[in-house]
Amino acid sequence: MSRRLSLVTLGCARNEVDSEELAGRLDAAGWELTDEAPDVVVVNTCGFVESAKKDSIDTLLAAGDTGAKVVAVGCLAERYGKELADQLPEADAVLGFDSYADLSTHLQTVLAGGHIEAHTPSDRRLLLPISPVERQEPAAFSVGIPGHAGGPTVLRKRLDDSPVAPLKLASGCDRRCSFCAIPSFRGAFVSRRPSDVIAEARWLADHGVQELVLVSENSTSYGKDLGDLKLLETLLPELARIVPRVRLSYLQPAEMRPTLVEVLTRTPGVAPYFDMSFQHSSASVLRRMRRFGGTDAFLTLLRQVRDLDPEAGVRSNVIVGFPGEN
């Protein structure tokens, strides 16, 4: 039976990493990744905001028009599961995150005309083990790390030859912002082991990557579940010795600390770039968002950044029209 597969990625850089991890699994299982006459199209969907949901559904419908089997994975599939399957019969399967480890078998079933029960969503925050040790991801099978035999394994396959690549720091989020559903379908915050992050950075460097973009749902929380809230300050210089440039994304302003600001502005090879989602400036509106800070606190933080590096870059998100806003 032909096993030709096309993998379509929507959404954020975190989804790009997920897709390359899925590609690593499927490549190791003997699937041929191609955009030419695939037997099955796997769409890694986004389910964060309405426009992203619409794009995901439109992409699934377009994939169905090709005549290939269509499988939905990713955040939209995880968040809505059976509801999505019922409303979108064009999708031959709707699979949640827990199906990733056995995705090859599921795709084989779909190709053979078999039926796979649609994913039933649940609050993934309730799945968190009590022990921090138990929070760690199980060891992944290797897709090869040239020159690094015997160390941590890497489960990934590059889907392009870009010199810039995202690298996952952690999964999930422990914060409970009132406007955000991500923790419910991504789960609680789980840091990756530093050894695994470093091994993957080396693997990416071996594959021509010149800049790493570190991604997670909340990068400033990295290490807290491993017993070291300042672990990121140690990891960043290590990564900067592997590739020419490292960029950190998804920073929570309420969790920023002077030591992290200093590392981001004073470490050679680490971009002085602050991707901080302020979301609002009004303290009262932020409290309704279940967030912290306000105009004075944010301006003080920005002054600290500028004092250390006047040319540092800052990016932010702001929500307008939040309920209760005057």
Side-chain angles (χ1 to χ4, degrees):
M1 180 182 293
S2 175
R3 289 156 62 93
R4 294 166 59 86
L5 173 139
S6 176
L7 183 56
V8 181
T9 306
L10 303 172
C12 65
R14 170 61 201 278
N15 258 17
E16 293 177 22
V17 176
D18 287 352
S19 285
E20 293 200 347
E21 290 177 352
L22 290 176
R25 290 182 183 274
L26 295 170
D27 182 69
W31 289 83
E32 177 188 354
L33 271 69
T34 178
D35 291 328
E36 298 182 6
D39 301 299
V40 58
V41 178
V42 176
V43 181
N44 189 358
T45 62
C46 179
F48 185 42
V49 295
E50 291 303 317
S51 60
K53 297 175 189 176
K54 182 180 184 303
D55 287 345
S56 295
I57 292 172
D58 289 345
T59 301
L60 288 165
L61 291 172
D65 291 339
T66 67
K69 297 289 187 180
V70 179
V71 174
V73 299
C75 293
L76 189 71
E78 174 66 36
R79 186 175 181 182
Y80 295 103
K82 191 175 185 304
E83 178 184 351
L84 176 64
D86 291 343
Q87 297 182 13
L88 198 71
E90 291 83 357
D92 296 282
V94 175
L95 306 177
F97 297 147
D98 291 336
S99 297
Y100 286 8
D102 203 22
L103 185 59
S104 176
T105 300
H106 294 315
L107 296 183
Q108 194 68 51
T109 299
V110 169
L111 280 183
H115 173 72
I116 300 175
E117 194 68 28
H119 164 66
T120 300
S122 62
D123 190 338
R124 295 188 69 86
R125 293 170 293 186
L126 304 178
L127 302 179
L128 178 66
I130 295 175
S131 167
V133 175
E134 293 176 340
R135 297 178 70 163
Q136 298 307 294
E137 299 173 355
F141 64 82
S142 176
V143 296
I145 313 175
H148 301 288
T153 58
V154 171
L155 175 63
R156 188 163 178 174
K157 177 181 175 64
R158 294 302 316 275
L159 295 176
D160 58 41
D161 57 359
S162 171
V164 180
L167 175 57
K168 183 172 64 179
L169 279 177
S171 299
C173 184
D174 287 340
R175 305 192 73 88
R176 298 294 179 262
C177 301
S178 60
F179 56 81
C180 183
I182 286 177
S184 65
F185 60 85
R186 276 290 185 182
F189 187 86
V190 181
S191 299
R192 295 182 69 195
R193 297 182 183 92
S195 58
D196 292 342
V197 176
I198 290 171
E200 189 166 331
R202 288 173 176 159
W203 183 86
L204 289 166
D206 289 340
H207 285 71
V209 171
Q210 298 292 301
E211 178 175 337
L212 298 173
V213 181
L214 306 180
V215 298
S216 73
E217 281 75 18
N218 179 9
S219 297
T220 37
S221 283
Y222 181 74
K224 71 175 187 180
D225 52 325
L226 300 178
D228 185 356
L229 188 55
K230 294 184 179 181
L231 190 56
L232 190 57
E233 285 90 318
T234 303
L235 181 63
L236 285 169
E238 291 289 327
L239 294 173
R241 285 190 278 270
I242 297 172
V243 294
R245 188 176 181 87
V246 177
R247 184 184 300 269
L248 185 61
S249 61
Y250 304 118
L251 304 176
Q252 166 59 247
E255 295 181 16
M256 288 298 294
R257 46 197 180 269
T259 52
L260 182 55
V261 173
E262 184 168 358
V263 167
L264 286 171
T265 54
R266 297 291 178 87
T267 306
V270 175
Y273 172 73
F274 293 80
D275 178 18
M276 297 185 291
S277 296
F278 292 124
Q279 304 297 4
H280 211 279
S281 177
S282 165
S284 60
V285 173
L286 285 166
R287 298 304 177 273
R288 286 194 289 276
M289 293 180 176
R290 298 180 194 160
R291 294 175 69 90
F292 299 92
T295 302
D296 293 341
F298 294 158
L299 289 177
T300 297
L301 176 57
L302 292 174
R303 280 194 293 268
Q304 292 172 351
V305 170
R306 296 296 189 202
D307 287 345
L308 290 173
D309 188 343
E311 297 184 357
V314 179
R315 172 190 176 275
S316 189
N317 298 317
V318 176
I319 294 176
V320 296
F322 190 80
E325 181 182 26
N326 293 324

